[in-house]
Amino acid sequence: MNKKSLLQLFLIIIILLTSFFFFKSYIVKKDTHVVLDNTFNEIDSEEKSNLVYNIQYITRDEDGNSYILESDTGELNDDQKELIVMRGVKAIIESENSEQIIIYSNNAKYNKLSKNTNFYTNVIINFGSNHVTSDKLDFIFEKNLVIISKNIIYKNMDTKLEADKIEIDLLTKNTKIFMDDKSKKIKLIKSN
């Protein structure tokens, strides 16, 4: 082989190795995908902030579970870069061994680092034949825990339940329903 051929082979190997490491470092390791449409549009206000439109975060774990979070708009704050305040929110929690959970709310705060989400204002939760409304829902991603609170009304085909708090462990499916004030009782109404 002549020197020119060796130099070309060496350059091709360098390019392939660089491409491989770039792909592995920046594309393969990520388990969260962010889809943004009409991304950063500056708005004028007393506090300088950014609006983002048509947001979608997708997170999958190694067990095949996924968390999809979508919103019409989101506001980024320079002081808390990991938080995004969303409006017009829909979330889907899919697990290998349970029914899909769909959450709607007027607003949510999403932590891009921990993936924890605080839904608030007109929260609606649907899973199977169950329908829950409340003022607040906290999804604690790393613990696979959903905490529903404030003005909870749970309905399924023939039952209506009113309580102060519901905690659902998404892994074990254990559910705790209780009142904040221990002297008050959970209301359970069964229709015929």
Side-chain angles (χ1 to χ4, degrees):
M1 280 187 138
N2 62 25
K3 289 183 180 182
K4 186 177 181 181
S5 296
L6 283 174
L7 182 61
Q8 288 175 340
L9 181 62
F10 179 73
L11 288 175
I12 290 172
I13 290 172
I14 295 291
I15 291 170
L16 289 174
L17 285 173
T18 304
S19 299
F20 172 76
F21 286 113
F22 176 81
F23 180 79
K24 187 164 177 62
S25 297
Y26 292 100
I27 297 177
V28 174
K29 286 185 180 179
K30 303 247 185 224
D31 68 343
T32 301
H33 307 285
V34 181
V35 179
L36 301 174
D37 187 19
N38 299 330
T39 52
F40 298 99
N41 292 324
E42 292 281 334
I43 62 167
D44 292 321
S45 66
E46 290 179 18
E47 285 184 26
K48 198 77 164 169
S49 63
N50 294 312
L51 279 185
V52 184
Y53 298 92
N54 301 320
I55 303 166
Q56 184 182 56
Y57 287 96
I58 302 171
T59 304
R60 290 185 178 85
D61 66 14
E62 59 275 353
D63 296 327
N65 303 314
S66 67
Y67 177 50
I68 302 166
L69 181 63
E70 303 172 336
S71 76
D72 297 333
T73 61
E75 188 171 349
L76 304 170
N77 187 319
D78 291 335
D79 295 334
Q80 296 178 306
K81 293 184 186 300
E82 72 279 1
L83 291 180
I84 182 167
V85 177
M86 302 176 153
R87 288 174 205 75
V89 184
K90 176 183 178 184
I92 301 170
I93 301 171
E94 294 179 331
S95 178
E96 287 289 315
N97 301 322
S98 65
E99 297 180 76
Q100 182 182 70
I101 299 171
I102 302 173
I103 304 165
Y104 301 95
S105 71
N106 290 4
N107 305 297
K109 286 183 184 174
Y110 177 67
N111 185 311
K112 295 183 283 185
L113 300 177
S114 68
K115 305 194 183 32
N116 293 344
T117 312
N118 308 105
F119 300 88
Y120 55 98
T121 315
N122 297 321
V123 179
I124 300 169
I125 306 108
N126 293 315
F127 55 101
S129 62
N130 304 294
H131 178 80
V132 181
T133 59
S134 73
D135 292 338
K136 185 177 176 190
L137 181 147
D138 295 321
F139 176 45
I140 304 166
F141 184 80
E142 64 270 2
K143 293 183 179 179
N144 284 301
L145 183 65
V146 172
I147 301 171
I148 307 167
S149 59
K150 296 189 179 180
N151 299 317
I152 298 171
I153 298 175
Y154 166 91
K155 294 179 186 177
N156 69 7
M157 289 182 243
D158 60 351
T159 305
K160 178 181 175 184
L161 179 137
E162 295 178 17
D164 287 339
K165 192 176 278 186
I166 300 175
E167 291 182 5
I168 304 168
D169 184 319
L170 296 175
L171 295 177
T172 64
K173 311 304 182 250
N174 290 338
T175 303
K176 297 177 188 174
I177 303 170
F178 51 93
M179 300 297 285
D180 291 329
D181 183 351
K182 303 232 186 254
S183 66
K184 293 184 178 179
K185 305 265 186 211
I186 296 169
K187 288 185 184 177
L188 182 65
I189 303 165
K190 188 154 177 88
S191 61
N192 295 330

PDB file of all heavy atoms in Angstrom, residues 80-112:
ATOM      1  N   GLN A  80     -35.060  29.102  37.472  1.00  0.00           N
ATOM      2  CA  GLN A  80     -35.202  27.665  37.731  1.00  0.00           C
ATOM      3  C   GLN A  80     -35.230  26.939  36.386  1.00  0.00           C
ATOM      4  O   GLN A  80     -36.282  26.536  35.906  1.00  0.00           O
ATOM      5  CB  GLN A  80     -36.464  27.382  38.533  1.00  0.00           C
ATOM      6  CG  GLN A  80     -36.455  27.985  39.917  1.00  0.00           C
ATOM      7  CD  GLN A  80     -37.745  27.708  40.653  1.00  0.00           C
ATOM      8  OE1 GLN A  80     -38.821  27.995  40.161  1.00  0.00           O
ATOM      9  NE2 GLN A  80     -37.622  27.129  41.835  1.00  0.00           N
ATOM     10  N   LYS A  81     -34.075  26.726  35.820  1.00  0.00           N
ATOM     11  CA  LYS A  81     -33.963  26.180  34.468  1.00  0.00           C
ATOM     12  C   LYS A  81     -34.525  24.767  34.341  1.00  0.00           C
ATOM     13  O   LYS A  81     -34.900  24.348  33.260  1.00  0.00           O
ATOM     14  CB  LYS A  81     -32.517  26.212  34.006  1.00  0.00           C
ATOM     15  CG  LYS A  81     -31.989  27.616  33.825  1.00  0.00           C
ATOM     16  CD  LYS A  81     -30.592  27.606  33.268  1.00  0.00           C
ATOM     17  CE  LYS A  81     -29.966  28.968  33.203  1.00  0.00           C
ATOM     18  NZ  LYS A  81     -30.613  29.955  32.424  1.00  0.00           N
ATOM     19  N   GLU A  82     -34.582  24.020  35.443  1.00  0.00           N
ATOM     20  CA  GLU A  82     -35.086  22.650  35.372  1.00  0.00           C
ATOM     21  C   GLU A  82     -36.614  22.580  35.355  1.00  0.00           C
ATOM     22  O   GLU A  82     -37.182  21.546  35.033  1.00  0.00           O
ATOM     23  CB  GLU A  82     -34.539  21.800  36.529  1.00  0.00           C
ATOM     24  CG  GLU A  82     -35.124  22.110  37.897  1.00  0.00           C
ATOM     25  CD  GLU A  82     -34.518  23.325  38.600  1.00  0.00           C
ATOM     26  OE1 GLU A  82     -33.631  23.985  38.048  1.00  0.00           O
ATOM     27  OE2 GLU A  82     -34.967  23.617  39.714  1.00  0.00           O
ATOM     28  N   LEU A  83     -37.306  23.684  35.684  1.00  0.00           N
ATOM     29  CA  LEU A  83     -38.769  23.694  35.743  1.00  0.00           C
ATOM     30  C   LEU A  83     -39.367  24.341  34.498  1.00  0.00           C
ATOM     31  O   LEU A  83     -38.849  25.323  33.994  1.00  0.00           O
ATOM     32  CB  LEU A  83     -39.263  24.454  36.972  1.00  0.00           C
ATOM     33  CG  LEU A  83     -38.995  23.816  38.324  1.00  0.00           C
ATOM     34  CD1 LEU A  83     -39.560  24.698  39.433  1.00  0.00           C
ATOM     35  CD2 LEU A  83     -39.575  22.428  38.423  1.00  0.00           C
ATOM     36  N   ILE A  84     -40.480  23.774  34.061  1.00  0.00           N
ATOM     37  CA  ILE A  84     -41.268  24.386  33.000  1.00  0.00           C
ATOM     38  C   ILE A  84     -42.715  24.395  33.469  1.00  0.00           C
ATOM     39  O   ILE A  84     -43.233  23.385  33.938  1.00  0.00           O
ATOM     40  CB  ILE A  84     -41.086  23.659  31.649  1.00  0.00           C
ATOM     41  CG1 ILE A  84     -41.883  24.358  30.555  1.00  0.00           C
ATOM     42  CG2 ILE A  84     -41.407  22.193  31.735  1.00  0.00           C
ATOM     43  CD1 ILE A  84     -41.516  23.918  29.156  1.00  0.00           C
ATOM     44  N   VAL A  85     -43.352  25.558  33.404  1.00  0.00           N
ATOM     45  CA  VAL A  85     -44.756  25.700  33.796  1.00  0.00           C
ATOM     46  C   VAL A  85     -45.591  25.550  32.528  1.00  0.00           C
ATOM     47  O   VAL A  85     -45.423  26.297  31.574  1.00  0.00           O
ATOM     48  CB  VAL A  85     -45.020  27.063  34.476  1.00  0.00           C
ATOM     49  CG1 VAL A  85     -46.489  27.215  34.809  1.00  0.00           C
ATOM     50  CG2 VAL A  85     -44.163  27.206  35.720  1.00  0.00           C
ATOM     51  N   MET A  86     -46.478  24.558  32.529  1.00  0.00           N
ATOM     52  CA  MET A  86     -47.234  24.196  31.337  1.00  0.00           C
ATOM     53  C   MET A  86     -48.701  24.574  31.457  1.00  0.00           C
ATOM     54  O   MET A  86     -49.249  24.615  32.556  1.00  0.00           O
ATOM     55  CB  MET A  86     -47.129  22.690  31.101  1.00  0.00           C
ATOM     56  CG  MET A  86     -45.729  22.188  30.951  1.00  0.00           C
ATOM     57  SD  MET A  86     -45.717  20.395  30.809  1.00  0.00           S
ATOM     58  CE  MET A  86     -44.226  20.161  29.888  1.00  0.00           C
ATOM     59  N   ARG A  87     -49.321  24.785  30.293  1.00  0.00           N
ATOM     60  CA  ARG A  87     -50.763  25.058  30.225  1.00  0.00           C
ATOM     61  C   ARG A  87     -51.368  24.153  29.153  1.00  0.00           C
ATOM     62  O   ARG A  87     -50.745  23.918  28.122  1.00  0.00           O
ATOM     63  CB  ARG A  87     -51.005  26.522  29.873  1.00  0.00           C
ATOM     64  CG  ARG A  87     -50.679  27.468  31.010  1.00  0.00           C
ATOM     65  CD  ARG A  87     -50.788  28.936  30.574  1.00  0.00           C
ATOM     66  NE  ARG A  87     -49.957  29.791  31.381  1.00  0.00           N
ATOM     67  CZ  ARG A  87     -48.635  29.884  31.288  1.00  0.00           C
ATOM     68  NH1 ARG A  87     -47.971  29.171  30.436  1.00  0.00           N
ATOM     69  NH2 ARG A  87     -47.957  30.705  32.057  1.00  0.00           N
ATOM     70  N   GLY A  88     -52.604  23.680  29.408  1.00  0.00           N
ATOM     71  CA  GLY A  88     -53.247  22.762  28.477  1.00  0.00           C
ATOM     72  C   GLY A  88     -52.499  21.444  28.432  1.00  0.00           C
ATOM     73  O   GLY A  88     -51.917  21.079  27.421  1.00  0.00           O
ATOM     74  N   VAL A  89     -52.524  20.698  29.540  1.00  0.00           N
ATOM     75  CA  VAL A  89     -51.630  19.559  29.737  1.00  0.00           C
ATOM     76  C   VAL A  89     -52.363  18.227  29.591  1.00  0.00           C
ATOM     77  O   VAL A  89     -53.504  18.070  30.044  1.00  0.00           O
ATOM     78  CB  VAL A  89     -50.982  19.626  31.142  1.00  0.00           C
ATOM     79  CG1 VAL A  89     -49.987  18.505  31.340  1.00  0.00           C
ATOM     80  CG2 VAL A  89     -50.336  20.979  31.373  1.00  0.00           C
ATOM     81  N   LYS A  90     -51.682  17.270  28.965  1.00  0.00           N
ATOM     82  CA  LYS A  90     -52.144  15.883  28.879  1.00  0.00           C
ATOM     83  C   LYS A  90     -50.941  14.990  29.154  1.00  0.00           C
ATOM     84  O   LYS A  90     -49.856  15.222  28.621  1.00  0.00           O
ATOM     85  CB  LYS A  90     -52.696  15.573  27.495  1.00  0.00           C
ATOM     86  CG  LYS A  90     -53.113  14.110  27.319  1.00  0.00           C
ATOM     87  CD  LYS A  90     -53.586  13.830  25.898  1.00  0.00           C
ATOM     88  CE  LYS A  90     -53.947  12.368  25.724  1.00  0.00           C
ATOM     89  NZ  LYS A  90     -54.310  12.075  24.328  1.00  0.00           N
ATOM     90  N   ALA A  91     -51.139  13.973  29.995  1.00  0.00           N
ATOM     91  CA  ALA A  91     -50.074  13.018  30.294  1.00  0.00           C
ATOM     92  C   ALA A  91     -50.618  11.610  30.149  1.00  0.00           C
ATOM     93  O   ALA A  91     -51.787  11.349  30.433  1.00  0.00           O
ATOM     94  CB  ALA A  91     -49.544  13.235  31.710  1.00  0.00           C
ATOM     95  N   ILE A  92     -49.764  10.712  29.698  1.00  0.00           N
ATOM     96  CA  ILE A  92     -50.129   9.297  29.570  1.00  0.00           C
ATOM     97  C   ILE A  92     -49.062   8.485  30.286  1.00  0.00           C
ATOM     98  O   ILE A  92     -47.865   8.624  29.997  1.00  0.00           O
ATOM     99  CB  ILE A  92     -50.219   8.865  28.098  1.00  0.00           C
ATOM    100  CG1 ILE A  92     -51.268   9.699  27.361  1.00  0.00           C
ATOM    101  CG2 ILE A  92     -50.539   7.372  27.995  1.00  0.00           C
ATOM    102  CD1 ILE A  92     -51.267   9.515  25.859  1.00  0.00           C
ATOM    103  N   ILE A  93     -49.494   7.651  31.239  1.00  0.00           N
ATOM    104  CA  ILE A  93     -48.595   6.747  31.943  1.00  0.00           C
ATOM    105  C   ILE A  93     -48.953   5.341  31.477  1.00  0.00           C
ATOM    106  O   ILE A  93     -50.080   4.886  31.667  1.00  0.00           O
ATOM    107  CB  ILE A  93     -48.741   6.868  33.472  1.00  0.00           C
ATOM    108  CG1 ILE A  93     -48.454   8.298  33.925  1.00  0.00           C
ATOM    109  CG2 ILE A  93     -47.832   5.870  34.175  1.00  0.00           C
ATOM    110  CD1 ILE A  93     -48.780   8.565  35.388  1.00  0.00           C
ATOM    111  N   GLU A  94     -47.992   4.672  30.857  1.00  0.00           N
ATOM    112  CA  GLU A  94     -48.212   3.312  30.365  1.00  0.00           C
ATOM    113  C   GLU A  94     -47.274   2.371  31.089  1.00  0.00           C
ATOM    114  O   GLU A  94     -46.081   2.627  31.184  1.00  0.00           O
ATOM    115  CB  GLU A  94     -47.967   3.230  28.858  1.00  0.00           C
ATOM    116  CG  GLU A  94     -48.974   4.025  28.061  1.00  0.00           C
ATOM    117  CD  GLU A  94     -48.717   3.969  26.565  1.00  0.00           C
ATOM    118  OE1 GLU A  94     -47.545   3.817  26.153  1.00  0.00           O
ATOM    119  OE2 GLU A  94     -49.687   4.089  25.818  1.00  0.00           O
ATOM    120  N   SER A  95     -47.851   1.294  31.587  1.00  0.00           N
ATOM    121  CA  SER A  95     -47.081   0.301  32.315  1.00  0.00           C
ATOM    122  C   SER A  95     -47.349  -1.062  31.694  1.00  0.00           C
ATOM    123  O   SER A  95     -48.456  -1.326  31.218  1.00  0.00           O
ATOM    124  CB  SER A  95     -47.488   0.306  33.788  1.00  0.00           C
ATOM    125  OG  SER A  95     -46.789  -0.680  34.503  1.00  0.00           O
ATOM    126  N   GLU A  96     -46.352  -1.921  31.723  1.00  0.00           N
ATOM    127  CA  GLU A  96     -46.476  -3.251  31.131  1.00  0.00           C
ATOM    128  C   GLU A  96     -47.635  -4.051  31.733  1.00  0.00           C
ATOM    129  O   GLU A  96     -48.302  -4.772  31.032  1.00  0.00           O
ATOM    130  CB  GLU A  96     -45.168  -4.030  31.332  1.00  0.00           C
ATOM    131  CG  GLU A  96     -44.046  -3.553  30.459  1.00  0.00           C
ATOM    132  CD  GLU A  96     -44.236  -3.915  29.002  1.00  0.00           C
ATOM    133  OE1 GLU A  96     -44.611  -5.060  28.708  1.00  0.00           O
ATOM    134  OE2 GLU A  96     -44.013  -3.035  28.164  1.00  0.00           O
ATOM    135  N   ASN A  97     -47.854  -3.934  33.040  1.00  0.00           N
ATOM    136  CA  ASN A  97     -48.810  -4.802  33.727  1.00  0.00           C
ATOM    137  C   ASN A  97     -50.059  -4.109  34.219  1.00  0.00           C
ATOM    138  O   ASN A  97     -50.747  -4.634  35.087  1.00  0.00           O
ATOM    139  CB  ASN A  97     -48.110  -5.483  34.916  1.00  0.00           C
ATOM    140  CG  ASN A  97     -46.924  -6.298  34.472  1.00  0.00           C
ATOM    141  OD1 ASN A  97     -46.962  -6.939  33.428  1.00  0.00           O
ATOM    142  ND2 ASN A  97     -45.858  -6.255  35.240  1.00  0.00           N
ATOM    143  N   SER A  98     -50.372  -2.924  33.697  1.00  0.00           N
ATOM    144  CA  SER A  98     -51.579  -2.258  34.167  1.00  0.00           C
ATOM    145  C   SER A  98     -52.177  -1.394  33.068  1.00  0.00           C
ATOM    146  O   SER A  98     -51.571  -1.186  32.020  1.00  0.00           O
ATOM    147  CB  SER A  98     -51.293  -1.417  35.411  1.00  0.00           C
ATOM    148  OG  SER A  98     -50.422  -0.364  35.093  1.00  0.00           O
ATOM    149  N   GLU A  99     -53.370  -0.901  33.357  1.00  0.00           N
ATOM    150  CA  GLU A  99     -54.079  -0.071  32.393  1.00  0.00           C
ATOM    151  C   GLU A  99     -53.388   1.280  32.218  1.00  0.00           C
ATOM    152  O   GLU A  99     -52.747   1.796  33.128  1.00  0.00           O
ATOM    153  CB  GLU A  99     -55.511   0.181  32.879  1.00  0.00           C
ATOM    154  CG  GLU A  99     -56.336  -1.082  32.987  1.00  0.00           C
ATOM    155  CD  GLU A  99     -57.736  -0.772  33.459  1.00  0.00           C
ATOM    156  OE1 GLU A  99     -58.511  -0.270  32.640  1.00  0.00           O
ATOM    157  OE2 GLU A  99     -58.012  -1.039  34.636  1.00  0.00           O
ATOM    158  N   GLN A 100     -53.574   1.842  31.060  1.00  0.00           N
ATOM    159  CA  GLN A 100     -53.049   3.161  30.744  1.00  0.00           C
ATOM    160  C   GLN A 100     -53.762   4.207  31.612  1.00  0.00           C
ATOM    161  O   GLN A 100     -54.972   4.155  31.798  1.00  0.00           O
ATOM    162  CB  GLN A 100     -53.301   3.436  29.264  1.00  0.00           C
ATOM    163  CG  GLN A 100     -52.772   4.730  28.762  1.00  0.00           C
ATOM    164  CD  GLN A 100     -53.116   4.923  27.292  1.00  0.00           C
ATOM    165  OE1 GLN A 100     -54.279   5.125  26.966  1.00  0.00           O
ATOM    166  NE2 GLN A 100     -52.117   4.859  26.434  1.00  0.00           N
ATOM    167  N   ILE A 101     -53.002   5.152  32.155  1.00  0.00           N
ATOM    168  CA  ILE A 101     -53.556   6.252  32.934  1.00  0.00           C
ATOM    169  C   ILE A 101     -53.404   7.517  32.103  1.00  0.00           C
ATOM    170  O   ILE A 101     -52.305   7.823  31.640  1.00  0.00           O
ATOM    171  CB  ILE A 101     -52.830   6.408  34.284  1.00  0.00           C
ATOM    172  CG1 ILE A 101     -52.970   5.145  35.128  1.00  0.00           C
ATOM    173  CG2 ILE A 101     -53.358   7.629  35.040  1.00  0.00           C
ATOM    174  CD1 ILE A 101     -52.103   5.144  36.377  1.00  0.00           C
ATOM    175  N   ILE A 102     -54.510   8.238  31.911  1.00  0.00           N
ATOM    176  CA  ILE A 102     -54.471   9.491  31.164  1.00  0.00           C
ATOM    177  C   ILE A 102     -54.848  10.616  32.114  1.00  0.00           C
ATOM    178  O   ILE A 102     -55.855  10.538  32.814  1.00  0.00           O
ATOM    179  CB  ILE A 102     -55.424   9.458  29.952  1.00  0.00           C
ATOM    180  CG1 ILE A 102     -55.048   8.294  29.029  1.00  0.00           C
ATOM    181  CG2 ILE A 102     -55.370  10.780  29.194  1.00  0.00           C
ATOM    182  CD1 ILE A 102     -56.007   8.067  27.896  1.00  0.00           C
ATOM    183  N   ILE A 103     -54.031  11.660  32.143  1.00  0.00           N
ATOM    184  CA  ILE A 103     -54.233  12.795  33.043  1.00  0.00           C
ATOM    185  C   ILE A 103     -54.368  14.062  32.200  1.00  0.00           C
ATOM    186  O   ILE A 103     -53.564  14.300  31.302  1.00  0.00           O
ATOM    187  CB  ILE A 103     -53.033  12.962  34.004  1.00  0.00           C
ATOM    188  CG1 ILE A 103     -52.788  11.667  34.789  1.00  0.00           C
ATOM    189  CG2 ILE A 103     -53.249  14.148  34.940  1.00  0.00           C
ATOM    190  CD1 ILE A 103     -51.440  11.616  35.469  1.00  0.00           C
ATOM    191  N   TYR A 104     -55.378  14.859  32.519  1.00  0.00           N
ATOM    192  CA  TYR A 104     -55.563  16.166  31.886  1.00  0.00           C
ATOM    193  C   TYR A 104     -55.555  17.212  32.990  1.00  0.00           C
ATOM    194  O   TYR A 104     -56.058  16.954  34.090  1.00  0.00           O
ATOM    195  CB  TYR A 104     -56.916  16.259  31.160  1.00  0.00           C
ATOM    196  CG  TYR A 104     -57.122  15.244  30.078  1.00  0.00           C
ATOM    197  CD1 TYR A 104     -57.783  14.047  30.331  1.00  0.00           C
ATOM    198  CD2 TYR A 104     -56.689  15.482  28.784  1.00  0.00           C
ATOM    199  CE1 TYR A 104     -57.983  13.114  29.326  1.00  0.00           C
ATOM    200  CE2 TYR A 104     -56.889  14.555  27.771  1.00  0.00           C
ATOM    201  CZ  TYR A 104     -57.543  13.375  28.053  1.00  0.00           C
ATOM    202  OH  TYR A 104     -57.738  12.456  27.056  1.00  0.00           O
ATOM    203  N   SER A 105     -55.026  18.386  32.707  1.00  0.00           N
ATOM    204  CA  SER A 105     -55.137  19.492  33.656  1.00  0.00           C
ATOM    205  C   SER A 105     -54.928  20.804  32.916  1.00  0.00           C
ATOM    206  O   SER A 105     -54.353  20.835  31.831  1.00  0.00           O
ATOM    207  CB  SER A 105     -54.122  19.361  34.799  1.00  0.00           C
ATOM    208  OG  SER A 105     -52.819  19.599  34.349  1.00  0.00           O
ATOM    209  N   ASN A 106     -55.423  21.867  33.534  1.00  0.00           N
ATOM    210  CA  ASN A 106     -55.192  23.184  32.950  1.00  0.00           C
ATOM    211  C   ASN A 106     -53.722  23.570  33.036  1.00  0.00           C
ATOM    212  O   ASN A 106     -53.182  24.189  32.125  1.00  0.00           O
ATOM    213  CB  ASN A 106     -56.027  24.251  33.656  1.00  0.00           C
ATOM    214  CG  ASN A 106     -57.504  24.121  33.372  1.00  0.00           C
ATOM    215  OD1 ASN A 106     -57.953  23.199  32.709  1.00  0.00           O
ATOM    216  ND2 ASN A 106     -58.283  25.055  33.891  1.00  0.00           N
ATOM    217  N   ASN A 107     -53.061  23.184  34.150  1.00  0.00           N
ATOM    218  CA  ASN A 107     -51.683  23.606  34.401  1.00  0.00           C
ATOM    219  C   ASN A 107     -50.867  22.468  35.004  1.00  0.00           C
ATOM    220  O   ASN A 107     -51.429  21.563  35.629  1.00  0.00           O
ATOM    221  CB  ASN A 107     -51.651  24.782  35.386  1.00  0.00           C
ATOM    222  CG  ASN A 107     -52.499  25.932  34.929  1.00  0.00           C
ATOM    223  OD1 ASN A 107     -52.241  26.528  33.894  1.00  0.00           O
ATOM    224  ND2 ASN A 107     -53.536  26.250  35.690  1.00  0.00           N
ATOM    225  N   ALA A 108     -49.555  22.565  34.832  1.00  0.00           N
ATOM    226  CA  ALA A 108     -48.639  21.614  35.464  1.00  0.00           C
ATOM    227  C   ALA A 108     -47.264  22.252  35.565  1.00  0.00           C
ATOM    228  O   ALA A 108     -46.907  23.113  34.768  1.00  0.00           O
ATOM    229  CB  ALA A 108     -48.564  20.316  34.673  1.00  0.00           C
ATOM    230  N   LYS A 109     -46.507  21.802  36.579  1.00  0.00           N
ATOM    231  CA  LYS A 109     -45.093  22.161  36.694  1.00  0.00           C
ATOM    232  C   LYS A 109     -44.311  20.869  36.492  1.00  0.00           C
ATOM    233  O   LYS A 109     -44.527  19.886  37.195  1.00  0.00           O
ATOM    234  CB  LYS A 109     -44.773  22.742  38.068  1.00  0.00           C
ATOM    235  CG  LYS A 109     -45.282  24.133  38.254  1.00  0.00           C
ATOM    236  CD  LYS A 109     -44.876  24.679  39.607  1.00  0.00           C
ATOM    237  CE  LYS A 109     -45.479  26.058  39.813  1.00  0.00           C
ATOM    238  NZ  LYS A 109     -45.227  26.568  41.156  1.00  0.00           N
ATOM    239  N   TYR A 110     -43.413  20.885  35.504  1.00  0.00           N
ATOM    240  CA  TYR A 110     -42.629  19.703  35.162  1.00  0.00           C
ATOM    241  C   TYR A 110     -41.169  19.969  35.447  1.00  0.00           C
ATOM    242  O   TYR A 110     -40.622  20.981  35.017  1.00  0.00           O
ATOM    243  CB  TYR A 110     -42.828  19.359  33.685  1.00  0.00           C
ATOM    244  CG  TYR A 110     -42.001  18.197  33.190  1.00  0.00           C
ATOM    245  CD1 TYR A 110     -42.231  16.909  33.637  1.00  0.00           C
ATOM    246  CD2 TYR A 110     -40.998  18.400  32.249  1.00  0.00           C
ATOM    247  CE1 TYR A 110     -41.481  15.840  33.166  1.00  0.00           C
ATOM    248  CE2 TYR A 110     -40.242  17.343  31.768  1.00  0.00           C
ATOM    249  CZ  TYR A 110     -40.491  16.067  32.233  1.00  0.00           C
ATOM    250  OH  TYR A 110     -39.743  15.014  31.759  1.00  0.00           O
ATOM    251  N   ASN A 111     -40.538  19.053  36.181  1.00  0.00           N
ATOM    252  CA  ASN A 111     -39.115  19.145  36.460  1.00  0.00           C
ATOM    253  C   ASN A 111     -38.387  18.275  35.433  1.00  0.00           C
ATOM    254  O   ASN A 111     -38.531  17.057  35.434  1.00  0.00           O
ATOM    255  CB  ASN A 111     -38.810  18.677  37.880  1.00  0.00           C
ATOM    256  CG  ASN A 111     -37.373  18.878  38.251  1.00  0.00           C
ATOM    257  OD1 ASN A 111     -36.462  18.512  37.523  1.00  0.00           O
ATOM    258  ND2 ASN A 111     -37.163  19.458  39.424  1.00  0.00           N
ATOM    259  N   LYS A 112     -37.633  18.906  34.547  1.00  0.00           N
ATOM    260  CA  LYS A 112     -36.963  18.196  33.458  1.00  0.00           C
ATOM    261  C   LYS A 112     -35.881  17.246  33.963  1.00  0.00           C
ATOM    262  O   LYS A 112     -35.552  16.284  33.283  1.00  0.00           O
ATOM    263  CB  LYS A 112     -36.366  19.189  32.459  1.00  0.00           C
ATOM    264  CG  LYS A 112     -37.424  20.007  31.741  1.00  0.00           C
ATOM    265  CD  LYS A 112     -36.818  20.937  30.712  1.00  0.00           C
ATOM    266  CE  LYS A 112     -36.192  22.137  31.371  1.00  0.00           C
ATOM    267  NZ  LYS A 112     -35.694  23.133  30.424  1.00  0.00           N
TER     268      LYS A 112
END
